[in-house]
Amino acid sequence: MRHLQNFRLIEAVARAGSMRRAAEDMNITASALVRRINGFEQEFGTELFERLPGGVRLNPAGELVLHHYRATLSDLSRVQGQVADLTGERRGHVSIACSQALLPYFLPQQIARYRGEHPGVTFSVNIRDRAQAEQELASYSSDLALVFEPVYLVDFQVIETIPQAVNVVMRADHPLAEKSEIRLRDCLDTPHIAPSAKYGVRHLLDFAARRGSRRVDPLVETESFELIRHYVLQERVIGFQIPIGLTGFGDPQLVFRPISERDLPPGNLILGQMRGRTLPVASARFAMQVATALKTYSGEETR
């Protein structure tokens, strides 16, 4: 589809912030790239980039053109999926932005199940915090987002929501493991490792602590939930995670217990897409499968 090449070049320049770097990324000469961009701007009737001393950036017209290109690719992918359905051969590509908690168990199971029925479908899994995931939807970089406690929800069309209580992760011999109910004050008074502020788990912890005139003061702060799970085995500290990222964790040295809802109500794990967008066939059907699995998971958690 060579007619889309100019749009690919525009996207490459926007991503690189430089004509020269974009030319290297696209494996063409810088002079050829500049000619293509200038020619497109002349034909289109307006400039798309602000020329800056250190490079270039999209102006408002360029932002609109790039959004149109990404929407066009999305529509084209949807039509390709529909055509593949006509031939009885399911193909397509699913891109999903997700929280780290979905990586160990839930998402691998769902992708493997879907690909077992439709081996022609490929996937991109983009690990994003809750704000980045919504940006991925708006820019068409991801078809779906599965995140804990999204930030804005302005252009976020909710497909399914399940509650997730923040759990304390600790060694089986930790004193808090013996408690029938873990209060937030127990956690704040205990040395802990915690996720950084941009993650939903930390957002809920900070909000609840402030209500009690306390603060979360971790010995270690990290963007890795994998580090949290492993670090609590190395030092007598506790960590925090939501249960969907812990279910199936088979290490007998580790236990996890929910923080009392009297102190910290559950947050929401939300599956969503960009509002008003018609998803490609493969992504839409994968979303249906995940939504059903989340409902089942929620029911198992409440029994």
Side-chain angles (χ1 to χ4, degrees):
M1 301 178 187
R2 285 174 289 189
H3 68 286
L4 296 176
Q5 182 61 17
N6 284 337
F7 292 103
R8 295 189 185 101
L9 295 176
I10 292 167
E11 184 177 45
V13 174
R15 182 172 57 247
S18 161
M19 296 283 185
R20 180 183 56 78
R21 287 195 295 271
E24 293 173 356
D25 293 342
M26 300 300 287
N27 198 30
I28 63 174
T29 65
S31 59
L33 174 62
V34 171
R35 284 196 302 271
R36 293 284 292 271
I37 297 294
N38 288 342
F40 183 92
E41 290 177 325
Q42 290 172 8
E43 185 178 355
F44 190 67
T46 186
E47 292 187 349
L48 305 182
F49 292 93
E50 295 179 45
R51 272 65 174 181
L52 306 171
V56 297
R57 69 182 175 200
L58 287 172
N59 61 23
E63 293 280 0
L64 289 173
V65 167
L66 187 57
H67 181 81
H68 164 75
Y69 166 60
R70 288 169 172 168
T72 299
L73 286 184
S74 175
D75 288 341
L76 186 60
S77 177
R78 175 172 54 83
V79 172
Q80 287 175 321
Q82 291 170 337
V83 170
D85 276 357
L86 291 176
T87 64
E89 183 180 10
R90 175 67 51 74
R91 292 191 175 276
H93 183 77
V94 180
S95 56
I96 181 167
C98 71
S99 298
Q100 291 184 50
L102 283 303
L103 298 182
Y105 313 107
F106 182 82
L107 204 53
Q109 292 169 351
Q110 294 305 310
I111 292 174
R113 176 185 163 194
Y114 192 86
R115 280 189 34 79
E117 298 176 4
H118 311 294
V121 175
T122 57
F123 282 78
S124 295
V125 178
N126 306 313
I127 306 168
R128 300 291 184 263
D129 63 46
R130 56 204 190 108
Q132 291 172 335
E134 295 181 69
Q135 294 169 3
E136 291 263 319
L137 296 183
S139 66
Y140 289 81
S141 301
S142 291
D143 303 323
L144 301 168
L146 186 53
V147 290
F148 186 58
E149 287 291 299
V151 181
Y152 304 112
L153 291 176
V154 176
D155 295 317
F156 197 106
Q157 180 178 324
V158 175
I159 300 172
E160 188 59 55
T161 304
I162 64 166
Q164 290 281 278
V166 176
N167 275 229
V168 178
V169 185
M170 56 198 150
R171 274 186 2 203
D173 61 356
H174 194 282
L176 288 186
E178 302 299 322
K179 284 183 169 284
S180 58
E181 180 183 44
I182 297 180
R183 303 296 301 271
L184 180 61
R185 61 176 177 268
D186 298 327
C187 301
L188 300 180
D189 291 339
T190 301
H192 50 271
I193 176 174
S196 58
K198 62 183 179 180
Y199 293 101
V201 167
R202 179 62 179 274
H203 167 71
L204 293 180
L205 287 167
D206 284 339
F207 183 78
R210 284 195 299 268
R211 284 191 308 175
S213 300
R214 299 287 302 274
R215 62 190 297 264
V216 180
D217 188 20
L219 298 177
V220 179
E221 184 174 272
T222 179
E223 296 186 358
S224 170
F225 285 94
E226 189 72 11
L227 176 62
I228 291 174
R229 283 196 296 271
H230 288 288
Y231 192 79
V232 297
L233 294 173
Q234 306 300 318
E235 186 178 354
R236 202 175 184 82
V237 300
I238 60 171
F240 306 97
Q241 175 61 291
I242 54 176
I244 201 166
L246 296 165
T247 302
F249 198 71
D251 192 333
Q253 299 180 82
L254 279 180
V255 297
F256 49 96
R257 303 277 189 273
I259 298 174
S260 172
E261 292 187 17
R262 291 190 285 169
D263 303 322
L264 187 62
N268 290 313
L269 178 65
I270 298 181
L271 171 68
Q273 66 173 87
M274 183 178 175
R275 190 179 304 279
R277 179 184 176 188
T278 301
L279 290 174
V281 173
S283 298
R285 295 193 176 181
F286 182 67
M288 292 173 59
Q289 174 189 300
V290 171
T292 300
L294 289 173
K295 290 177 185 176
T296 303
Y297 179 88
S298 181
E300 288 175 349
E301 287 299 295
T302 56
R303 282 200 294 269

